[in-house]
Amino acid sequence: MKLLRQVLTLCAFIGAAVGVSSSMAADIPKPAAGKEAPKVVVAKVAPQEAPKDLVLKGDAKCTSCHDEADAPGLLAIGKTKHGTVADSRTPTCTKCHGESEAHVLNAQDTKIRPKPERTYSGQLAPGSLPSADRVDHYFGIQGKRTDTPVEERNGSCLECHQKDAKRSHWMGSTHQARDVACSTCHKIHSAKDVVRDKRTQTELCFTCHKEQRAQVNKPSHHPIVEGKMACSDCHNVHGSAGPKLMKRDSVVDTCYTCHMEKRGPFVHNHEPVSEDCSNCHNPHGTTAESMLKMRPPFLCQSCHTPHGGTIPALTGNIGPTALRPTATSSGKSNINITQGRGCLNCHTQVHGSNNPSATNPTPQFNLR
């Protein structure tokens, strides 16, 4: 009996607990027919607008930081040939400087960001090797020991520009052999490239070629300092097949582009003229007339044996002091060899003459 009472008491307790739970469930309000349960609304954040390109296609990666406030000079590339967006050949920032992910992300969050993959500054860290000499700044220790070697800097330029016939001889040229970088002479981001202007080009060339600076300031010179000519009128600084970086295959062919009247052909050619104009002339400038290395007759007599005049009084064949030909003497007076003589008084056509020969093969000595 005692066990039966315990079982009945447990069943009654379970039934009461079930009834209470059913009544609590009935008290929960149910949504009206045709209405949905309320939803939780989460506020959406507007997507951040991607930075826009300022000059070149895809330059937002760089100009988002390097803008007018940071480096306004960089944006001047839009005024150059490299900033012509309509030209499909126009490079991008990363085309020249590399992707430079470490520089952009700065994962280590250092105060000074890692440098781009390729830099063109041509110097070490600021203040490491100060130098007031511009030549040492670009070509000395400070210019060569950079984060980006000269070959790699030039390689980014030659990817496009080596296809040009004017730059096809860069490899092996004097400037290439002496580790001259393209960025040493050219200012890529500048609206005005000094080497492409005749009035300012020579000053940049004279930075290294100091001897030529002194020569062009001599009395007889090409109109270089006047701004009518530039070094690039005669020289191809990117390399050429001719000597001395001449634009043509030889010195004389380069000179003939302006001095056509000296080309000939002549019946009697002056051999030094056909060989090299610089045998007699210094094209950068001299103190003698017509840019001659020496004034006549000294220039002529550096090759030709001097001879006296044909007037008897000058040759010493008359008068009490007349000179007579001997076994070792022609009878000519040595006084008249250089005094008051001018080869050009008679030999006027020094570049070549069409005078017919009286007796073949005797030439007419480039006479008029």
Side-chain angles (χ1 to χ4, degrees), residues 81-82 84-92 95 160 163:
K81 293 290 186 181
H82 288 108
T84 306
V85 181
D87 192 343
S88 60
R89 300 172 298 174
T90 301
T92 61
K95 179 73 173 178
C160 298
K163 302 174 184 177

PDB file of all heavy atoms in Angstrom, residues 81-82 84-92 95 160 163:
ATOM      1  N   LYS A  81      54.929  63.938 -72.788  1.00  0.00           N
ATOM      2  CA  LYS A  81      54.533  62.871 -73.703  1.00  0.00           C
ATOM      3  C   LYS A  81      54.128  61.610 -72.951  1.00  0.00           C
ATOM      4  O   LYS A  81      53.281  60.851 -73.418  1.00  0.00           O
ATOM      5  CB  LYS A  81      55.699  62.544 -74.652  1.00  0.00           C
ATOM      6  CG  LYS A  81      56.041  63.655 -75.633  1.00  0.00           C
ATOM      7  CD  LYS A  81      54.956  63.811 -76.683  1.00  0.00           C
ATOM      8  CE  LYS A  81      55.377  64.820 -77.740  1.00  0.00           C
ATOM      9  NZ  LYS A  81      54.323  65.010 -78.770  1.00  0.00           N
ATOM     10  N   HIS A  82      54.722  61.406 -71.774  1.00  0.00           N
ATOM     11  CA  HIS A  82      54.379  60.228 -70.992  1.00  0.00           C
ATOM     12  C   HIS A  82      53.010  60.358 -70.335  1.00  0.00           C
ATOM     13  O   HIS A  82      52.523  59.392 -69.743  1.00  0.00           O
ATOM     14  CB  HIS A  82      55.436  59.977 -69.912  1.00  0.00           C
ATOM     15  CG  HIS A  82      56.735  59.484 -70.453  1.00  0.00           C
ATOM     16  ND1 HIS A  82      57.875  60.251 -70.490  1.00  0.00           N
ATOM     17  CD2 HIS A  82      57.093  58.298 -71.009  1.00  0.00           C
ATOM     18  CE1 HIS A  82      58.864  59.571 -71.025  1.00  0.00           C
ATOM     19  NE2 HIS A  82      58.427  58.379 -71.351  1.00  0.00           N
ATOM     20  N   THR A  84      50.230  61.395 -72.057  1.00  0.00           N
ATOM     21  CA  THR A  84      49.197  61.412 -73.087  1.00  0.00           C
ATOM     22  C   THR A  84      48.331  60.166 -72.943  1.00  0.00           C
ATOM     23  O   THR A  84      48.702  59.067 -73.370  1.00  0.00           O
ATOM     24  CB  THR A  84      49.826  61.460 -74.495  1.00  0.00           C
ATOM     25  OG1 THR A  84      50.736  62.557 -74.569  1.00  0.00           O
ATOM     26  CG2 THR A  84      48.756  61.621 -75.553  1.00  0.00           C
ATOM     27  N   VAL A  85      47.170  60.329 -72.332  1.00  0.00           N
ATOM     28  CA  VAL A  85      46.315  59.183 -72.034  1.00  0.00           C
ATOM     29  C   VAL A  85      45.776  58.552 -73.311  1.00  0.00           C
ATOM     30  O   VAL A  85      45.547  57.344 -73.383  1.00  0.00           O
ATOM     31  CB  VAL A  85      45.162  59.614 -71.107  1.00  0.00           C
ATOM     32  CG1 VAL A  85      44.275  58.429 -70.750  1.00  0.00           C
ATOM     33  CG2 VAL A  85      45.720  60.244 -69.835  1.00  0.00           C
ATOM     34  N   ALA A  86      45.557  59.360 -74.344  1.00  0.00           N
ATOM     35  CA  ALA A  86      44.994  58.838 -75.586  1.00  0.00           C
ATOM     36  C   ALA A  86      45.970  57.923 -76.326  1.00  0.00           C
ATOM     37  O   ALA A  86      45.561  57.182 -77.216  1.00  0.00           O
ATOM     38  CB  ALA A  86      44.568  59.985 -76.495  1.00  0.00           C
ATOM     39  N   ASP A  87      47.243  57.978 -75.960  1.00  0.00           N
ATOM     40  CA  ASP A  87      48.252  57.147 -76.602  1.00  0.00           C
ATOM     41  C   ASP A  87      48.322  55.810 -75.856  1.00  0.00           C
ATOM     42  O   ASP A  87      48.576  55.771 -74.650  1.00  0.00           O
ATOM     43  CB  ASP A  87      49.610  57.840 -76.571  1.00  0.00           C
ATOM     44  CG  ASP A  87      50.629  57.168 -77.475  1.00  0.00           C
ATOM     45  OD1 ASP A  87      50.399  56.008 -77.868  1.00  0.00           O
ATOM     46  OD2 ASP A  87      51.650  57.804 -77.788  1.00  0.00           O
ATOM     47  N   SER A  88      48.117  54.733 -76.567  1.00  0.00           N
ATOM     48  CA  SER A  88      48.117  53.414 -75.935  1.00  0.00           C
ATOM     49  C   SER A  88      49.501  53.027 -75.417  1.00  0.00           C
ATOM     50  O   SER A  88      49.630  52.124 -74.593  1.00  0.00           O
ATOM     51  CB  SER A  88      47.623  52.359 -76.926  1.00  0.00           C
ATOM     52  OG  SER A  88      48.470  52.322 -78.079  1.00  0.00           O
ATOM     53  N   ARG A  89      50.533  53.684 -75.887  1.00  0.00           N
ATOM     54  CA  ARG A  89      51.885  53.363 -75.442  1.00  0.00           C
ATOM     55  C   ARG A  89      52.245  54.045 -74.131  1.00  0.00           C
ATOM     56  O   ARG A  89      53.315  53.787 -73.573  1.00  0.00           O
ATOM     57  CB  ARG A  89      52.893  53.791 -76.517  1.00  0.00           C
ATOM     58  CG  ARG A  89      52.700  53.116 -77.861  1.00  0.00           C
ATOM     59  CD  ARG A  89      53.597  53.741 -78.903  1.00  0.00           C
ATOM     60  NE  ARG A  89      53.282  55.155 -79.101  1.00  0.00           N
ATOM     61  CZ  ARG A  89      53.983  55.981 -79.877  1.00  0.00           C
ATOM     62  NH1 ARG A  89      55.039  55.522 -80.516  1.00  0.00           N
ATOM     63  NH2 ARG A  89      53.634  57.236 -80.018  1.00  0.00           N
ATOM     64  N   THR A  90      51.392  54.932 -73.636  1.00  0.00           N
ATOM     65  CA  THR A  90      51.694  55.666 -72.422  1.00  0.00           C
ATOM     66  C   THR A  90      51.885  54.716 -71.250  1.00  0.00           C
ATOM     67  O   THR A  90      51.028  53.876 -70.977  1.00  0.00           O
ATOM     68  CB  THR A  90      50.560  56.656 -72.097  1.00  0.00           C
ATOM     69  OG1 THR A  90      50.416  57.562 -73.199  1.00  0.00           O
ATOM     70  CG2 THR A  90      50.855  57.421 -70.833  1.00  0.00           C
ATOM     71  N   PRO A  91      53.011  54.815 -70.539  1.00  0.00           N
ATOM     72  CA  PRO A  91      53.242  53.911 -69.404  1.00  0.00           C
ATOM     73  C   PRO A  91      52.440  54.342 -68.180  1.00  0.00           C
ATOM     74  O   PRO A  91      51.848  55.421 -68.143  1.00  0.00           O
ATOM     75  CB  PRO A  91      54.742  54.054 -69.157  1.00  0.00           C
ATOM     76  CG  PRO A  91      55.043  55.454 -69.596  1.00  0.00           C
ATOM     77  CD  PRO A  91      54.138  55.733 -70.774  1.00  0.00           C
ATOM     78  N   THR A  92      52.409  53.486 -67.189  1.00  0.00           N
ATOM     79  CA  THR A  92      51.780  53.786 -65.910  1.00  0.00           C
ATOM     80  C   THR A  92      52.864  53.960 -64.854  1.00  0.00           C
ATOM     81  O   THR A  92      54.047  53.747 -65.120  1.00  0.00           O
ATOM     82  CB  THR A  92      50.829  52.656 -65.502  1.00  0.00           C
ATOM     83  OG1 THR A  92      51.586  51.442 -65.368  1.00  0.00           O
ATOM     84  CG2 THR A  92      49.740  52.455 -66.555  1.00  0.00           C
ATOM     85  N   LYS A  95      54.611  50.760 -64.266  1.00  0.00           N
ATOM     86  CA  LYS A  95      55.406  50.316 -65.403  1.00  0.00           C
ATOM     87  C   LYS A  95      56.862  50.716 -65.211  1.00  0.00           C
ATOM     88  O   LYS A  95      57.782  49.979 -65.588  1.00  0.00           O
ATOM     89  CB  LYS A  95      54.855  50.931 -66.689  1.00  0.00           C
ATOM     90  CG  LYS A  95      55.608  50.554 -67.956  1.00  0.00           C
ATOM     91  CD  LYS A  95      55.340  49.126 -68.358  1.00  0.00           C
ATOM     92  CE  LYS A  95      55.965  48.817 -69.713  1.00  0.00           C
ATOM     93  NZ  LYS A  95      55.753  47.416 -70.120  1.00  0.00           N
ATOM     94  N   CYS A 160      60.658  50.370 -73.895  1.00  0.00           N
ATOM     95  CA  CYS A 160      59.869  51.050 -74.932  1.00  0.00           C
ATOM     96  C   CYS A 160      60.766  51.753 -75.948  1.00  0.00           C
ATOM     97  O   CYS A 160      60.529  51.677 -77.146  1.00  0.00           O
ATOM     98  CB  CYS A 160      58.921  52.064 -74.289  1.00  0.00           C
ATOM     99  SG  CYS A 160      57.703  51.352 -73.165  1.00  0.00           S
ATOM    100  N   LYS A 163      63.181  50.396 -79.146  1.00  0.00           N
ATOM    101  CA  LYS A 163      62.596  50.091 -80.444  1.00  0.00           C
ATOM    102  C   LYS A 163      62.788  51.239 -81.429  1.00  0.00           C
ATOM    103  O   LYS A 163      62.622  51.060 -82.631  1.00  0.00           O
ATOM    104  CB  LYS A 163      61.107  49.798 -80.266  1.00  0.00           C
ATOM    105  CG  LYS A 163      60.813  48.640 -79.317  1.00  0.00           C
ATOM    106  CD  LYS A 163      59.334  48.494 -79.061  1.00  0.00           C
ATOM    107  CE  LYS A 163      59.044  47.406 -78.029  1.00  0.00           C
ATOM    108  NZ  LYS A 163      57.593  47.302 -77.720  1.00  0.00           N
TER     109      LYS A 163
END
